[in-house]
Amino acid sequence: MYSKLKTTIFWFIIIQPFLDIFYLYQPPISTILKFSPATMLRIILVGIISILFLWSNKNKKMKLFLGIYMGLLIVYFIGHHLNAMQFHSLVDGNFGYSITGEIFYLIRMVLPLIILVVSYNVKFTDNQLESIISWLVALISGSIVVTNLFKISLASYTNQRITGSIINWFFDNRHGSYFQLASKGFFNFANSTAAVEVLLLPVMLYYLIKHTNVKNFILSLVQVLAMFMLGTKVSTLGCIGIVILMTGMYLFFTLIKQDLVLKKSVLGILLLFIVLCGIIYPVSPAINRTNFDAQIQQERDGDKAEVEKREKKLEEKSKKGDSKKEINKHETPLIRYIRKHYSEYSINARFIEVSYPYYDDPGFWKEIMKWPIQDRISFRKIEIAMLNRVKEVNDNPKDELFGITYTRMNNIFNVERDFISQYYSMGIIGVLLLVAPYVFGVIYLVYELLRHFKTKFTLRNTAFMLGIVGILGVSMYSGNVMDFLTATFILAFFEGQLLIKVKRQPLFKEHKISLIMPTYNDAATITDTLESIRTQAYEAWELVIVDDGSTDNTKKIVTEYIKEHALQARMKYVYKENGDQLNAIKYGAQFITGDYVNVIHSDDTFFDANVLSKVNNRLALGDSDGILANLNKVNNDQISMGVQWTPSYIGNPQQIKTQTLWLGRNLFIDVAFWEKDIFLNEVMANYLENNTPNWLDLQRNSVRALNFENADFNVINYRIYEENYINSEVGNLNVLNGELRTLVSLLGHYQVPSYEKQYKVFRLFNKLKLLSIYWPLAFRKASQKATTGRILQFAIQKRVTDFEKMPYLEALVKFYQFKDQRQLKISIPANVPIYTGADMRSFNQKLVDGKLEPFYMTLLSEMRQGFTEISVAPDEMDKWQTIVQFLNIQPYVRLEMRG
């Protein structure tokens, strides 16, 4: 149920931009129902999410809290309604209070708070959050940019089609003013869209810094352009400010706090965005608007003599109206003067004729007309003045607590300042219950980040925080955010995720790191490896050295080194009969006691003395199953031959499909540190037992990627020399067998149409380092046996051209070519070894030497003939399951138990 809840929330957030399309709020769609169909759909979806949450959440305190909160809302609404019934004003109809509209508004305000609570209780990994951010930026910013370039976007201020694109800003000034150029795509409100962009930009830039790849660069660039295209002050100035702030924060966390490694490529991209902002801003609609407003203000104000003349005339009409008894109150001299001349005072017609009619309260508008021009053209000041006047006339102290209702305030005018708007409509109690929780969350986050500065004040947390504070600041400055569900749903989701992250993030401490070192006849290099460990600045480590049957003087060298440096408490030497590297690591696992685990080989060394410090700092964040890191390739003289980087697309949702196309070869580097529990369970069962990639879990009904992160720093100096076992025939077979096992397992869950053609496309993207934007075509469905066989042969031929000369590979290919039905009935001899992926070296060495057990030779012969079913004795079922998995035929063989 939890996983269904998580999936539902994931897609619920991603579809929000689709539910904010302008046309969904216009006739005839908006008139089909009394309320917008988009809003009704949201209510239904939040209802489903609530049911899933209550069903999956067993926390009684949480349910009690929700019950108390709902009780307070009910009590509040009763008081709110009773207070609304006592309302009176100078305007006929008292601005049309509607209890139905009020209930609906209350529901609308509660929905995002439900998402906030659910998000706080459902933790998404950082990779999953990156996927959500990427989708939102692509949908929102991408659609704005595309519609702007094709000149089909709606204008931000008029809802008409724009008359010019961003290109015209630079080369042709005949396409209109800001209200004809600022574009919002097909979204409903430019202000709320700009607010969402302010939230998303710092988070998108964080993921660009974390995973500096083509996808994240394109998305960040598109978002910067979209925020200028929107043309509001919020989006334009917000974009400039955020890019500068994120650049400063990056420098702080690299040069001062030193949580990150400064990368010239990242700094260059951030500086490029700053330069881009500087180029676009002078020709942007936002600066166009500022200049336009200043010009209009000057024109409307007129010279000083004309202003004095207007004020004198206003006073004369006012006095005549006060002294003369008029039969029709709507026809006093003051009212007639206001009706005839208000436009000369630059007062918005809707305000004075519809929102708060001048003929019902001419004295109020007389005072407004005396205001300075800059105040008279300020919508927000007049909106607040009208509401204050309404409250003054009503003269009810309870309005402070319960408000004058949303429907009345909205019928006057929706104040373009959130929190203030809600204060007038819902009162102080309503604000505390429905809006202030977002602010309380921010206060708590600031407190926690500063309180635990070393651990929780990270670039990731501060980037999310900047986005949340940004959107709340926008809502207070320009309004039209907290009342609009797209913005509040996205705000609530990300604030919930940051709250759960900060609350549950472990405090900084030195975690013990367990190092396992398998070694076989590496007496010439092992001292260098041990020295690189001993000299680490970070001291909370232990080392288990597993001698896999060495025949040189490895034991003597190691034991003397341990004694010489008094490392008996931190280094442990154990010996076992030769059984291959993976079995040696498995054997050493029983001795580890640390929090994190790493395998370091006895011919490699740590890159520098700070490796383990960096590892602890990264894993101490507690948001991943493990990290993958870079390796520095060196020759026998320890001269660097180049760094092999961990690809930045790790965590990409497409990585399993991409792995399927890579012929089973590991997409990522094997330099890893794991959480201990992950190592002892998933890594042990996959990487160590079956020789499959250490970031994949292939032991479940549905394959999954472990939550691995890119450490983005060098960990080891990887020695390359001709004697590496991978360069031998047996070593090549060992690697190939692990690749084939990975490929068969993945094809047991995925279908990849036109595999060979897609493989060529994949290779092209890989060479161009564009895998971050690569999207393979694959479906969650098991491949047919013949298809798997064709792909396996394709993969084998990429490694071994004359595979027909190799008994196992020939048998495997012919097994998959068999199309009929055939049952195999064969018993397993009592003393025959049962091989796993960790035993591939032993199996292949025996095969090459002609010493493989007769049982397996017979089985390979049967594979050449082909079979689809094996008749199995009850006590052999587990052994057969291991054997067919080892031989890479498991998905296509049925094991029938004999009666």
Short mmCIF file of all heavy atoms in Angstrom, two decimals, residues 511-516 536 538 540-542 595-600 606-607 610-616 618-619 624-630 669-676 678-679 683 694 706-709 711 713-716:
data_model
loop_
_atom_site.label_atom_id
_atom_site.label_comp_id
_atom_site.label_asym_id
_atom_site.label_seq_id
_atom_site.Cartn_x
_atom_site.Cartn_y
_atom_site.Cartn_z
N HIS A 511 31.30 7.53 11.56
CA HIS A 511 30.83 6.16 11.39
C HIS A 511 32.02 5.24 11.10
O HIS A 511 32.95 5.63 10.39
CB HIS A 511 29.82 6.08 10.25
CG HIS A 511 28.55 6.84 10.51
ND1 HIS A 511 28.48 8.21 10.34
CD2 HIS A 511 27.34 6.43 10.93
CE1 HIS A 511 27.25 8.61 10.64
NE2 HIS A 511 26.54 7.56 11.01
N LYS A 512 31.94 4.06 11.62
CA LYS A 512 33.01 3.10 11.39
C LYS A 512 32.90 2.54 9.98
O LYS A 512 31.84 2.09 9.56
CB LYS A 512 32.93 1.98 12.41
CG LYS A 512 34.14 1.05 12.41
CD LYS A 512 34.03 0.05 13.55
CE LYS A 512 35.25 -0.84 13.63
NZ LYS A 512 35.15 -1.82 14.74
N ILE A 513 34.03 2.57 9.26
CA ILE A 513 34.06 2.07 7.89
C ILE A 513 34.82 0.76 7.85
O ILE A 513 36.00 0.70 8.26
CB ILE A 513 34.72 3.10 6.94
CG1 ILE A 513 33.94 4.42 6.98
CG2 ILE A 513 34.80 2.55 5.53
CD1 ILE A 513 34.59 5.53 6.17
N SER A 514 34.15 -0.29 7.40
CA SER A 514 34.78 -1.61 7.29
C SER A 514 35.33 -1.79 5.88
O SER A 514 34.60 -1.65 4.89
CB SER A 514 33.76 -2.71 7.59
OG SER A 514 33.36 -2.68 8.94
N LEU A 515 36.61 -2.10 5.80
CA LEU A 515 37.28 -2.35 4.52
C LEU A 515 37.58 -3.84 4.41
O LEU A 515 38.14 -4.43 5.34
CB LEU A 515 38.57 -1.54 4.43
CG LEU A 515 38.44 -0.02 4.65
CD1 LEU A 515 39.83 0.61 4.80
CD2 LEU A 515 37.66 0.63 3.52
N ILE A 516 37.19 -4.43 3.30
CA ILE A 516 37.51 -5.84 3.04
C ILE A 516 38.51 -5.88 1.90
O ILE A 516 38.26 -5.31 0.82
CB ILE A 516 36.25 -6.64 2.69
CG1 ILE A 516 35.22 -6.58 3.81
CG2 ILE A 516 36.60 -8.10 2.39
CD1 ILE A 516 33.91 -7.29 3.50
N GLN A 536 45.32 7.33 6.43
CA GLN A 536 44.10 8.12 6.25
C GLN A 536 43.90 9.08 7.42
O GLN A 536 44.12 8.73 8.59
CB GLN A 536 42.88 7.19 6.15
CG GLN A 536 42.74 6.48 4.82
CD GLN A 536 42.44 7.44 3.68
OE1 GLN A 536 41.44 8.15 3.68
NE2 GLN A 536 43.32 7.45 2.69
N TYR A 538 41.14 10.15 8.44
CA TYR A 538 39.96 9.61 9.15
C TYR A 538 40.36 8.29 9.79
O TYR A 538 40.88 7.38 9.13
CB TYR A 538 38.83 9.41 8.14
CG TYR A 538 37.50 8.99 8.73
CD1 TYR A 538 36.64 9.96 9.24
CD2 TYR A 538 37.11 7.66 8.77
CE1 TYR A 538 35.42 9.61 9.77
CE2 TYR A 538 35.90 7.30 9.30
CZ TYR A 538 35.05 8.27 9.80
OH TYR A 538 33.84 7.91 10.33
N ALA A 540 38.34 6.21 11.97
CA ALA A 540 37.32 5.24 12.37
C ALA A 540 37.13 4.19 11.28
O ALA A 540 36.12 4.16 10.59
CB ALA A 540 36.01 5.96 12.67
N TRP A 541 38.13 3.32 11.12
CA TRP A 541 38.05 2.28 10.11
C TRP A 541 38.60 0.97 10.67
O TRP A 541 39.30 0.93 11.67
CB TRP A 541 38.84 2.66 8.84
CG TRP A 541 40.29 3.02 9.07
CD1 TRP A 541 40.80 4.27 9.21
CD2 TRP A 541 41.40 2.12 9.21
NE1 TRP A 541 42.15 4.23 9.42
CE2 TRP A 541 42.55 2.91 9.41
CE3 TRP A 541 41.54 0.73 9.16
CZ2 TRP A 541 43.82 2.37 9.58
CZ3 TRP A 541 42.80 0.18 9.33
CH2 TRP A 541 43.92 0.98 9.54
N GLU A 542 38.21 -0.11 10.00
CA GLU A 542 38.78 -1.42 10.27
C GLU A 542 39.05 -2.10 8.94
O GLU A 542 38.39 -1.80 7.94
CB GLU A 542 37.82 -2.28 11.12
CG GLU A 542 36.54 -2.66 10.40
CD GLU A 542 35.65 -3.60 11.21
OE1 GLU A 542 36.00 -3.90 12.36
OE2 GLU A 542 34.60 -4.02 10.68
N ASP A 595 29.77 0.51 10.06
CA ASP A 595 28.49 1.03 9.56
C ASP A 595 28.45 1.03 8.04
O ASP A 595 27.40 0.88 7.43
CB ASP A 595 28.27 2.46 10.06
CG ASP A 595 28.29 2.54 11.58
OD1 ASP A 595 27.44 1.89 12.20
OD2 ASP A 595 29.16 3.23 12.13
N TYR A 596 29.63 1.24 7.41
CA TYR A 596 29.75 1.26 5.96
C TYR A 596 30.80 0.23 5.54
O TYR A 596 31.69 -0.12 6.32
CB TYR A 596 30.16 2.64 5.45
CG TYR A 596 29.37 3.79 6.00
CD1 TYR A 596 30.00 4.95 6.46
CD2 TYR A 596 27.98 3.73 6.07
CE1 TYR A 596 29.28 6.01 6.97
CE2 TYR A 596 27.25 4.79 6.59
CZ TYR A 596 27.90 5.93 7.04
OH TYR A 596 27.19 6.97 7.55
N VAL A 597 30.69 -0.23 4.31
CA VAL A 597 31.57 -1.29 3.82
C VAL A 597 32.15 -0.90 2.46
O VAL A 597 31.44 -0.34 1.62
CB VAL A 597 30.82 -2.63 3.70
CG1 VAL A 597 31.78 -3.74 3.27
CG2 VAL A 597 30.11 -2.99 4.99
N ASN A 598 33.44 -1.24 2.29
CA ASN A 598 34.10 -1.02 1.00
C ASN A 598 35.03 -2.19 0.73
O ASN A 598 35.58 -2.78 1.66
CB ASN A 598 34.90 0.28 1.02
CG ASN A 598 35.83 0.43 -0.17
OD1 ASN A 598 37.03 0.29 -0.06
ND2 ASN A 598 35.26 0.70 -1.33
N VAL A 599 35.18 -2.51 -0.53
CA VAL A 599 36.15 -3.53 -0.95
C VAL A 599 37.30 -2.83 -1.64
O VAL A 599 37.10 -2.12 -2.63
CB VAL A 599 35.50 -4.56 -1.90
CG1 VAL A 599 36.56 -5.54 -2.40
CG2 VAL A 599 34.37 -5.30 -1.20
N ILE A 600 38.50 -3.00 -1.09
CA ILE A 600 39.68 -2.41 -1.72
C ILE A 600 40.64 -3.55 -2.05
O ILE A 600 40.91 -4.42 -1.22
CB ILE A 600 40.37 -1.37 -0.81
CG1 ILE A 600 41.59 -0.79 -1.52
CG2 ILE A 600 40.69 -1.92 0.58
CD1 ILE A 600 42.18 0.44 -0.84
N PHE A 606 44.36 4.00 -1.92
CA PHE A 606 43.46 5.14 -1.82
C PHE A 606 44.08 6.35 -2.49
O PHE A 606 45.31 6.54 -2.45
CB PHE A 606 43.13 5.45 -0.37
CG PHE A 606 42.05 4.58 0.21
CD1 PHE A 606 42.20 3.97 1.44
CD2 PHE A 606 40.88 4.36 -0.50
CE1 PHE A 606 41.21 3.17 1.97
CE2 PHE A 606 39.87 3.55 0.01
CZ PHE A 606 40.05 2.95 1.24
N PHE A 607 43.24 7.17 -3.09
CA PHE A 607 43.71 8.30 -3.90
C PHE A 607 44.53 9.30 -3.08
O PHE A 607 45.55 9.80 -3.53
CB PHE A 607 42.51 8.99 -4.55
CG PHE A 607 42.87 10.15 -5.43
CD1 PHE A 607 43.43 9.95 -6.68
CD2 PHE A 607 42.66 11.46 -5.00
CE1 PHE A 607 43.77 11.01 -7.50
CE2 PHE A 607 42.99 12.53 -5.81
CZ PHE A 607 43.54 12.31 -7.06
N ASN A 610 42.50 11.82 2.43
CA ASN A 610 41.20 12.34 2.87
C ASN A 610 40.02 11.54 2.32
O ASN A 610 38.87 11.95 2.47
CB ASN A 610 41.06 13.80 2.44
CG ASN A 610 42.09 14.68 3.11
OD1 ASN A 610 42.29 14.61 4.31
ND2 ASN A 610 42.76 15.52 2.32
N VAL A 611 40.29 10.42 1.67
CA VAL A 611 39.21 9.65 1.04
C VAL A 611 38.15 9.24 2.05
O VAL A 611 36.95 9.46 1.85
CB VAL A 611 39.78 8.41 0.32
CG1 VAL A 611 38.65 7.44 -0.03
CG2 VAL A 611 40.52 8.82 -0.94
N LEU A 612 38.55 8.62 3.15
CA LEU A 612 37.56 8.10 4.10
C LEU A 612 36.81 9.23 4.81
O LEU A 612 35.64 9.07 5.17
CB LEU A 612 38.23 7.18 5.12
CG LEU A 612 38.81 5.88 4.54
CD1 LEU A 612 39.33 4.98 5.65
CD2 LEU A 612 37.78 5.13 3.70
N SER A 613 37.44 10.37 4.99
CA SER A 613 36.74 11.54 5.56
C SER A 613 35.61 11.97 4.64
O SER A 613 34.48 12.24 5.07
CB SER A 613 37.71 12.70 5.77
OG SER A 613 38.68 12.40 6.72
N LYS A 614 35.91 12.05 3.34
CA LYS A 614 34.89 12.44 2.36
C LYS A 614 33.76 11.41 2.31
O LYS A 614 32.58 11.76 2.20
CB LYS A 614 35.52 12.59 0.98
CG LYS A 614 36.52 13.73 0.87
CD LYS A 614 37.19 13.73 -0.50
CE LYS A 614 38.25 14.80 -0.61
NZ LYS A 614 38.96 14.76 -1.92
N VAL A 615 34.15 10.13 2.40
CA VAL A 615 33.13 9.07 2.37
C VAL A 615 32.20 9.20 3.56
O VAL A 615 30.97 9.12 3.42
CB VAL A 615 33.81 7.68 2.36
CG1 VAL A 615 32.78 6.58 2.63
CG2 VAL A 615 34.52 7.44 1.04
N ASN A 616 32.74 9.40 4.74
CA ASN A 616 31.90 9.53 5.93
C ASN A 616 30.98 10.74 5.83
O ASN A 616 29.80 10.67 6.15
CB ASN A 616 32.76 9.63 7.18
CG ASN A 616 31.91 9.71 8.44
OD1 ASN A 616 31.26 8.75 8.84
ND2 ASN A 616 31.90 10.87 9.07
N ARG A 618 29.83 12.13 3.20
CA ARG A 618 28.78 11.91 2.19
C ARG A 618 27.73 10.92 2.67
O ARG A 618 26.54 11.16 2.57
CB ARG A 618 29.42 11.42 0.89
CG ARG A 618 28.43 11.22 -0.24
CD ARG A 618 27.77 12.54 -0.59
NE ARG A 618 26.66 12.35 -1.49
CZ ARG A 618 25.43 12.00 -1.12
NH1 ARG A 618 25.14 11.79 0.16
NH2 ARG A 618 24.47 11.85 -2.01
N LEU A 619 28.18 9.80 3.22
CA LEU A 619 27.23 8.77 3.66
C LEU A 619 26.50 9.17 4.93
O LEU A 619 25.40 8.68 5.21
CB LEU A 619 27.95 7.44 3.86
CG LEU A 619 28.29 6.68 2.58
CD1 LEU A 619 29.20 5.50 2.87
CD2 LEU A 619 27.03 6.20 1.87
N SER A 624 21.06 7.59 1.10
CA SER A 624 21.34 6.66 0.02
C SER A 624 21.76 5.31 0.57
O SER A 624 22.15 5.18 1.74
CB SER A 624 22.45 7.21 -0.89
OG SER A 624 23.65 7.37 -0.16
N ASP A 625 21.65 4.29 -0.28
CA ASP A 625 22.11 2.95 0.09
C ASP A 625 23.62 2.83 -0.03
O ASP A 625 24.23 1.95 0.58
CB ASP A 625 21.46 1.89 -0.83
CG ASP A 625 19.95 1.84 -0.67
OD1 ASP A 625 19.46 2.14 0.44
OD2 ASP A 625 19.26 1.51 -1.64
N GLY A 626 24.20 3.69 -0.83
CA GLY A 626 25.64 3.64 -1.03
C GLY A 626 26.06 4.70 -2.02
O GLY A 626 25.22 5.42 -2.59
N ILE A 627 27.36 4.80 -2.23
CA ILE A 627 27.89 5.78 -3.18
C ILE A 627 28.85 5.09 -4.14
O ILE A 627 29.53 4.12 -3.79
CB ILE A 627 28.61 6.95 -2.47
CG1 ILE A 627 29.74 6.42 -1.57
CG2 ILE A 627 27.62 7.79 -1.69
CD1 ILE A 627 30.59 7.51 -0.97
N LEU A 628 28.87 5.59 -5.35
CA LEU A 628 29.86 5.18 -6.34
C LEU A 628 30.82 6.34 -6.53
O LEU A 628 30.42 7.51 -6.48
CB LEU A 628 29.20 4.82 -7.67
CG LEU A 628 28.23 3.64 -7.65
CD1 LEU A 628 27.66 3.41 -9.03
CD2 LEU A 628 28.90 2.38 -7.14
N ALA A 629 32.09 6.03 -6.74
CA ALA A 629 33.09 7.10 -6.82
C ALA A 629 34.02 6.89 -8.01
O ALA A 629 33.97 5.86 -8.68
CB ALA A 629 33.88 7.17 -5.52
N ASN A 630 34.86 7.87 -8.26
CA ASN A 630 35.77 7.83 -9.40
C ASN A 630 37.03 7.03 -9.07
O ASN A 630 37.41 6.89 -7.91
CB ASN A 630 36.18 9.24 -9.80
CG ASN A 630 35.01 10.18 -9.93
OD1 ASN A 630 33.92 9.77 -10.30
ND2 ASN A 630 35.22 11.44 -9.61
N ILE A 669 30.97 2.35 -12.38
CA ILE A 669 32.24 1.85 -11.85
C ILE A 669 31.98 1.03 -10.59
O ILE A 669 31.04 1.30 -9.84
CB ILE A 669 33.16 3.05 -11.53
CG1 ILE A 669 33.39 3.87 -12.80
CG2 ILE A 669 34.48 2.58 -10.96
CD1 ILE A 669 34.09 5.17 -12.56
N ASP A 670 32.84 0.04 -10.33
CA ASP A 670 32.67 -0.83 -9.17
C ASP A 670 33.27 -0.27 -7.89
O ASP A 670 33.33 -0.98 -6.89
CB ASP A 670 33.29 -2.21 -9.44
CG ASP A 670 32.28 -3.16 -10.05
OD1 ASP A 670 31.07 -2.91 -9.89
OD2 ASP A 670 32.69 -4.14 -10.68
N VAL A 671 33.73 0.96 -7.89
CA VAL A 671 34.27 1.57 -6.68
C VAL A 671 33.10 2.06 -5.84
O VAL A 671 32.50 3.09 -6.14
CB VAL A 671 35.22 2.73 -7.02
CG1 VAL A 671 35.80 3.32 -5.73
CG2 VAL A 671 36.32 2.26 -7.94
N ALA A 672 32.78 1.30 -4.79
CA ALA A 672 31.56 1.60 -4.05
C ALA A 672 31.77 1.51 -2.55
O ALA A 672 32.63 0.77 -2.06
CB ALA A 672 30.46 0.63 -4.47
N PHE A 673 30.97 2.28 -1.83
CA PHE A 673 30.83 2.15 -0.38
C PHE A 673 29.34 1.92 -0.12
O PHE A 673 28.51 2.64 -0.66
CB PHE A 673 31.30 3.41 0.35
CG PHE A 673 32.78 3.59 0.37
CD1 PHE A 673 33.46 4.09 -0.73
CD2 PHE A 673 33.51 3.27 1.51
CE1 PHE A 673 34.83 4.26 -0.72
CE2 PHE A 673 34.89 3.43 1.53
CZ PHE A 673 35.56 3.92 0.42
N TRP A 674 29.03 0.92 0.70
CA TRP A 674 27.64 0.56 0.94
C TRP A 674 27.29 0.72 2.42
O TRP A 674 28.15 0.56 3.29
CB TRP A 674 27.39 -0.90 0.57
CG TRP A 674 27.74 -1.28 -0.82
CD1 TRP A 674 26.96 -1.15 -1.94
CD2 TRP A 674 28.93 -1.93 -1.27
NE1 TRP A 674 27.59 -1.65 -3.04
CE2 TRP A 674 28.82 -2.14 -2.66
CE3 TRP A 674 30.11 -2.34 -0.63
CZ2 TRP A 674 29.82 -2.74 -3.42
CZ3 TRP A 674 31.12 -2.94 -1.39
CH2 TRP A 674 30.96 -3.13 -2.76
N GLU A 675 26.01 1.00 2.67
CA GLU A 675 25.49 0.82 4.02
C GLU A 675 25.64 -0.66 4.38
O GLU A 675 25.45 -1.53 3.54
CB GLU A 675 24.02 1.23 4.08
CG GLU A 675 23.76 2.71 3.92
CD GLU A 675 23.98 3.49 5.21
OE1 GLU A 675 24.24 2.83 6.26
OE2 GLU A 675 23.89 4.72 5.18
N LYS A 676 25.96 -0.94 5.63
CA LYS A 676 26.27 -2.32 6.02
C LYS A 676 25.10 -3.26 5.71
O LYS A 676 25.30 -4.36 5.16
CB LYS A 676 26.61 -2.38 7.50
CG LYS A 676 26.95 -3.79 7.99
CD LYS A 676 27.27 -3.81 9.48
CE LYS A 676 27.57 -5.21 9.97
NZ LYS A 676 27.86 -5.25 11.43
N ILE A 678 22.71 -3.00 3.53
CA ILE A 678 22.60 -3.18 2.08
C ILE A 678 23.67 -4.14 1.59
O ILE A 678 23.42 -5.03 0.76
CB ILE A 678 22.73 -1.82 1.36
CG1 ILE A 678 21.53 -0.92 1.70
CG2 ILE A 678 22.84 -2.00 -0.14
CD1 ILE A 678 20.20 -1.40 1.19
N PHE A 679 24.87 -4.00 2.12
CA PHE A 679 25.97 -4.89 1.71
C PHE A 679 25.67 -6.34 2.08
O PHE A 679 25.86 -7.25 1.25
CB PHE A 679 27.27 -4.43 2.37
CG PHE A 679 28.43 -5.34 2.09
CD1 PHE A 679 29.11 -5.27 0.88
CD2 PHE A 679 28.85 -6.28 3.02
CE1 PHE A 679 30.17 -6.11 0.60
CE2 PHE A 679 29.91 -7.13 2.76
CZ PHE A 679 30.57 -7.04 1.54
N VAL A 683 23.72 -6.58 -1.78
CA VAL A 683 25.02 -6.70 -2.45
C VAL A 683 25.55 -8.13 -2.35
O VAL A 683 26.09 -8.68 -3.32
CB VAL A 683 26.04 -5.70 -1.84
CG1 VAL A 683 27.43 -5.91 -2.45
CG2 VAL A 683 25.57 -4.27 -2.08
N ASN A 694 26.74 -4.19 -8.69
CA ASN A 694 26.48 -3.98 -7.26
C ASN A 694 25.38 -2.97 -6.97
O ASN A 694 24.99 -2.80 -5.83
CB ASN A 694 27.78 -3.55 -6.55
CG ASN A 694 28.30 -2.22 -7.02
OD1 ASN A 694 27.60 -1.22 -6.98
ND2 ASN A 694 29.54 -2.19 -7.49
N LEU A 706 19.26 -0.05 -6.69
CA LEU A 706 19.49 0.45 -5.34
C LEU A 706 19.65 1.97 -5.39
O LEU A 706 19.96 2.54 -6.44
CB LEU A 706 20.75 -0.19 -4.74
CG LEU A 706 20.71 -1.72 -4.60
CD1 LEU A 706 22.03 -2.23 -4.05
CD2 LEU A 706 19.56 -2.15 -3.71
N ASN A 707 19.41 2.59 -4.25
CA ASN A 707 19.48 4.06 -4.19
C ASN A 707 20.93 4.50 -4.03
O ASN A 707 21.39 4.81 -2.94
CB ASN A 707 18.62 4.56 -3.03
CG ASN A 707 18.65 6.07 -2.91
OD1 ASN A 707 18.85 6.77 -3.91
ND2 ASN A 707 18.48 6.58 -1.71
N PHE A 708 21.65 4.50 -5.15
CA PHE A 708 23.06 4.87 -5.14
C PHE A 708 23.22 6.33 -5.57
O PHE A 708 22.45 6.83 -6.38
CB PHE A 708 23.85 3.97 -6.10
CG PHE A 708 24.44 2.76 -5.44
CD1 PHE A 708 23.70 2.01 -4.55
CD2 PHE A 708 25.74 2.36 -5.71
CE1 PHE A 708 24.23 0.89 -3.94
CE2 PHE A 708 26.28 1.24 -5.11
CZ PHE A 708 25.52 0.50 -4.21
N GLU A 709 24.23 6.97 -5.01
CA GLU A 709 24.54 8.35 -5.37
C GLU A 709 25.95 8.43 -5.95
O GLU A 709 26.80 7.56 -5.70
CB GLU A 709 24.46 9.25 -4.12
CG GLU A 709 23.08 9.37 -3.52
CD GLU A 709 22.18 10.30 -4.29
OE1 GLU A 709 22.68 10.92 -5.25
OE2 GLU A 709 20.99 10.41 -3.96
N ALA A 711 29.39 9.95 -5.70
CA ALA A 711 30.20 10.65 -4.70
C ALA A 711 30.95 11.82 -5.31
O ALA A 711 31.27 12.80 -4.63
CB ALA A 711 31.18 9.68 -4.05
N PHE A 713 34.03 12.21 -6.27
CA PHE A 713 35.43 12.44 -5.94
C PHE A 713 36.21 11.16 -6.18
O PHE A 713 35.64 10.07 -6.26
CB PHE A 713 35.62 12.95 -4.50
CG PHE A 713 35.00 12.08 -3.44
CD1 PHE A 713 35.61 10.91 -3.00
CD2 PHE A 713 33.79 12.45 -2.85
CE1 PHE A 713 35.05 10.12 -2.02
CE2 PHE A 713 33.21 11.67 -1.86
CZ PHE A 713 33.85 10.49 -1.44
N ASN A 714 37.53 11.28 -6.32
CA ASN A 714 38.38 10.11 -6.58
C ASN A 714 38.58 9.32 -5.30
O ASN A 714 38.83 9.89 -4.23
CB ASN A 714 39.74 10.55 -7.11
CG ASN A 714 39.64 11.25 -8.46
OD1 ASN A 714 38.64 11.11 -9.16
ND2 ASN A 714 40.66 12.00 -8.82
N VAL A 715 38.50 7.99 -5.41
CA VAL A 715 38.67 7.13 -4.24
C VAL A 715 39.95 6.31 -4.33
O VAL A 715 40.71 6.23 -3.37
CB VAL A 715 37.45 6.21 -4.05
CG1 VAL A 715 37.76 5.07 -3.09
CG2 VAL A 715 36.28 7.02 -3.51
N ILE A 716 40.20 5.67 -5.46
CA ILE A 716 41.37 4.78 -5.53
C ILE A 716 42.24 5.11 -6.73
O ILE A 716 41.80 5.69 -7.72
CB ILE A 716 40.97 3.29 -5.59
CG1 ILE A 716 40.21 2.98 -6.88
CG2 ILE A 716 40.19 2.88 -4.37
CD1 ILE A 716 40.06 1.50 -7.14
#
